[in-house]
């Protein structure tokens, strides 16, 4: 009996520690009352009293007579590995990102999320660098960036967005240090710890890692070849009352699927009925052969926020992203960017990107890039077929190929075995909130042109098959 009571007390202590570690409870915040927390945890009030006493003895919380218990100033540093659900590091989003970013020149990266350097418009970038060095004023080279970012690039983006049917002014565009920072600013603006955010399942894994920084609850909705499962989406809205939905509309990451007009209209109807804000990450737009429906265009930026950057088609080294949204929301986001970064992105980066985008060769670069990716998709699928690996769908464009592994092959085990073969892979459960994609792998077709990718993959599959790890194979 004593062991059982001790176990219950430890569970309560662990639950509070988790809230402190993820910042769901902030310094100075009052803890739930003893009776309320006992009801939440399904334990007796005496168990909660003992747990609170233990935490108070450690200095993590303190009692105020007549007022209750409060979080002390000494809260543990936020560690994303603690904020994440407990996972094997082979299926940990941060681990996969770090492996890709830190890979040496001898490592092959069929699981990374960017194009090879030789596929990028290097000649145009060099011209822009030379032009900026010769013509830019001293302020561009040495000053902080303007609060909204360089006007030249914002005006160019206004023209690009107008081509999609989004009518806005330059005051509705905010340049950011990256697309990731754009989503982070939106999270700071709209989210509070404990809010619920809907993401696709599977979805881009850094959405998950970034949103967990904001100590929110993630709810995954299954993704289909035409967009999110609308029945599951409607049920999630009714049950969880989410604050945000974060998605890719075009060339969805990791599946490569494209949102259909019917799904897009139904999504916006559901969002309006439930007062849901949508963040539409459009980073793969220039890789589409023909434009597909955009939520921001259909909605007119009423409840949709567009974010993007130029790292996939221009340069991941010259970092710059943007947010397009309602003017009043942009005002608030500008303040947040000043508070957290003191000004907009580097003026040098913004001017280089503006010069490259307006270079007459950029359009030709994109046309050639789409053709090259189309060939790479066909060749990759053909080379994977003898290994028993098949695409879930064949995307209209882009460089991702979401593939089903042979029956019984676990993607996490394969990723671990791949490292020994000099391969950085992206296993399915990295992308899945529900951890239901253990039988899938995302491949980057642009990073799979060398025969030794497939040779190493075959050896890794043989090694991984010797493990016996359970998984479910739902996409």
């Amino acid at each position: 009996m004593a062991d059982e009571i001790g176990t219950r007390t430890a569970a309560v202590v662990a639950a509070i520690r988790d809230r402190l570690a993820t910042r769901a409870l902030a310094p100075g915040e009052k803890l739930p009352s003893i009776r309320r927390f006992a009801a939440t945890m399904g334990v007796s009030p005496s168990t909660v009293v003992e747990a609170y006493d233990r935490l108070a003895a450690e200095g993590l919380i303190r009692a105020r007579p007549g007022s209750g218990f409060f979080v002390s100033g000494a809260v543990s540093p936020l560690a994303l590995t603690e904020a994440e659900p407990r996972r094997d590091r082979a299926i940990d989003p941060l681990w996969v990102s770090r492996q890709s970013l830190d890979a040496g020149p001898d490592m092959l990266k069929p699981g990374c999320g960017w194009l090879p350097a030789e596929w990028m418009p290097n000649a145009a970038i060099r011209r822009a660098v030379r032009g900026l060095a010769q013509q830019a004023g001293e302020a561009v080279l040495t000053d902080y960036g303007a609060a909204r970012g360089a006007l030249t690039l914002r005006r160019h983006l206004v023209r690009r967005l107008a081509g999609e049917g989004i009518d806005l002014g330059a005051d509705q565009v905010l340049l950011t240090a990256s697309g990731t920072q754009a989503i982070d600013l939106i999270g700071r603006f709209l989210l509070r710890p404990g809010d619920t955010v809907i993401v696709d399942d599977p979805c881009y894994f850094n959405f998950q890692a970034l949103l967990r920084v904001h100590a929110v609850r993630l709810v995954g909705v299954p993704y289909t070849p035409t967009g999110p499962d609308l029945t599951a989406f409607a049920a999630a809205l009714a049950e969880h009352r989410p604050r945000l939905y974060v998605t890719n509309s075009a060339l969805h990451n990791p599946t490569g699927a494209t949102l259909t007009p019917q799904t897009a209209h139904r999504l916006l109807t559901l969002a309006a009925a439930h007062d849901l804000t949508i963040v539409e990450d459009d980073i793969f737009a220039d890789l589409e052969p023909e434009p597909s429906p955009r939520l921001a265009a259909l909605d007119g930026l009423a409840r949709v926020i567009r974010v993007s950057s130029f790292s996939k088609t221009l340069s991941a080294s010259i970092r710059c992203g943007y947010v397009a949204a309602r003017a009043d929301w942009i005002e608030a986001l500008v303040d947040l960017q000043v508070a957290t970064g003191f000004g907009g992105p580097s003026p040098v980066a913004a001017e280089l990107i503006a010069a490259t985008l307006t270079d007459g060769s950029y359009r030709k670069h994109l046309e050639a890039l789409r053709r090259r990716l189309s060939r790479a998709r066909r060749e990759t699928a053909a080379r994977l077929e003898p290994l028993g690996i098949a695409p879930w769908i064949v995307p209209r464009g882009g460089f991702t190929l979401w593939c089903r592994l042979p029956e019984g092959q676990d993607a996490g085990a394969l990723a671990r075995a791949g490292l020994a073969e000099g391969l950085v892979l992206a296993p399915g459960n990295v992308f899945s909130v529900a951890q239901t994609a253990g039988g899938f792998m995302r491949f980057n077709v642009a990073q799979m042109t060398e025969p030794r990718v497939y040779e190493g993959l075959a050896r890794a599959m043989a090694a991984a098959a010797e493990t016996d790890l359970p998984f479910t194979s739902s996409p």
Side-chain angles (χ1 to χ4, degrees), residues 194-448:
D195 283 350
T196 297
V197 177
I198 289 183
V199 293
D200 302 318
D201 198 339
C203 71
Y204 172 44
F205 53 71
N206 212 47
F207 285 167
Q208 300 177 51
L210 178 58
L211 289 167
R212 292 193 193 281
V213 172
H214 296 281
V216 298
R217 181 187 180 206
L218 298 183
V219 172
V221 169
Y223 210 75
T224 78
T226 60
D229 182 314
L230 290 176
T231 301
F233 194 88
L237 291 181
E239 180 179 354
H240 300 290
R241 302 179 61 83
R243 184 73 182 89
L244 284 182
Y245 169 46
V246 182
T247 188
N248 303 115
S249 290
L251 303 180
H252 176 263
N253 186 9
T255 67
T258 297
L259 190 70
T260 64
Q262 296 87 346
T263 301
H265 285 289
R266 180 60 179 151
L267 270 179
L268 291 173
T269 300
L270 288 168
H274 291 268
D275 194 26
L276 176 73
T277 300
I278 299 174
V279 178
E280 181 179 51
D281 182 354
D282 204 31
I283 195 169
F284 299 105
D286 283 346
L287 298 179
E288 274 198 299
E290 297 293 337
S292 60
R294 293 296 193 278
L295 296 171
L298 295 171
D299 172 73
L301 297 179
R303 64 177 58 258
V304 176
I305 302 173
R306 163 71 62 79
V307 302
S308 191
S309 79
F310 312 94
S311 61
K312 304 306 180 187
T313 58
L314 197 156
S315 171
S317 178
I318 307 171
R319 302 298 297 275
C320 185
Y322 72 87
V323 181
R326 290 166 30 181
D328 57 330
W329 285 6
I330 290 292
E331 282 294 325
L333 292 169
V334 169
D335 287 343
L336 278 170
Q337 177 157 259
V338 171
T340 58
F342 198 74
S346 159
V348 170
E351 294 295 346
L352 286 175
I353 287 172
T356 308
L357 291 175
T358 54
D359 187 310
S361 66
Y362 184 68
R363 178 181 58 81
K364 294 179 181 178
H365 159 69
L366 290 180
E367 291 174 353
L369 181 58
R370 294 184 198 113
R371 291 194 297 270
R372 192 173 186 179
L373 286 171
S374 179
R375 289 194 300 271
R377 276 194 303 278
R378 293 194 300 270
E379 292 170 1
T380 298
R383 289 180 174 183
L384 289 175
E385 185 178 7
L387 299 176
I389 300 174
W392 182 61
I393 62 167
V394 177
R396 298 170 57 246
F399 54 75
T400 63
L401 204 59
W402 183 241
C403 292
R404 190 186 302 273
L405 299 176
E407 188 68 29
Q409 186 89 59
D410 178 77
L414 179 55
R416 289 192 296 273
L419 287 178
E421 298 293 337
L423 301 177
V424 176
L425 299 171
N429 273 343
V430 166
F431 305 89
S432 175
V433 173
Q435 297 290 278
T436 55
F440 285 80
M441 186 77 75
R442 188 196 72 179
F443 293 103
N444 180 339
V445 300
Q447 299 280 358
M448 298 185 68

Side-chain angles (χ1 to χ4, degrees), residues 18-27 29 75-79 193 213-215:
D18 181 65
R19 295 188 184 193
L20 294 173
T22 59
R23 303 295 167 80
L25 286 171
E29 186 174 348
V75 176
S76 301
L78 176 63
V213 172
H214 296 281

Side-chain angles (χ1 to χ4, degrees), residues 9-85:
T9 302
V12 176
V13 169
I16 297 170
R17 285 184 186 280
D18 181 65
R19 295 188 184 193
L20 294 173
T22 59
R23 303 295 167 80
L25 286 171
E29 186 174 348
K30 184 178 180 180
L31 274 71
S33 71
I34 289 171
R35 290 190 178 280
R36 181 154 64 89
F37 201 53
T40 299
M41 295 294 295
V43 298
S44 68
S46 62
T47 299
V48 176
V49 170
E50 183 178 349
Y52 281 8
D53 285 342
R54 287 188 189 181
L55 293 165
E58 295 178 23
L60 293 177
I61 66 175
R62 64 183 185 277
R64 293 181 187 172
S67 298
F69 287 85
F70 293 79
V71 179
S72 300
V75 176
S76 301
L78 176 63
L80 284 180
T81 50
E82 295 299 324
E84 284 280 334

Side-chain angles (χ1 to χ4, degrees), residues 163-182:
E164 295 181 29
I166 302 175
D167 185 19
L168 77 171
D171 62 332
Q172 288 181 259
V173 177
L174 170 66
L175 301 186
T176 60
S178 66
T180 299
Q181 194 219 5

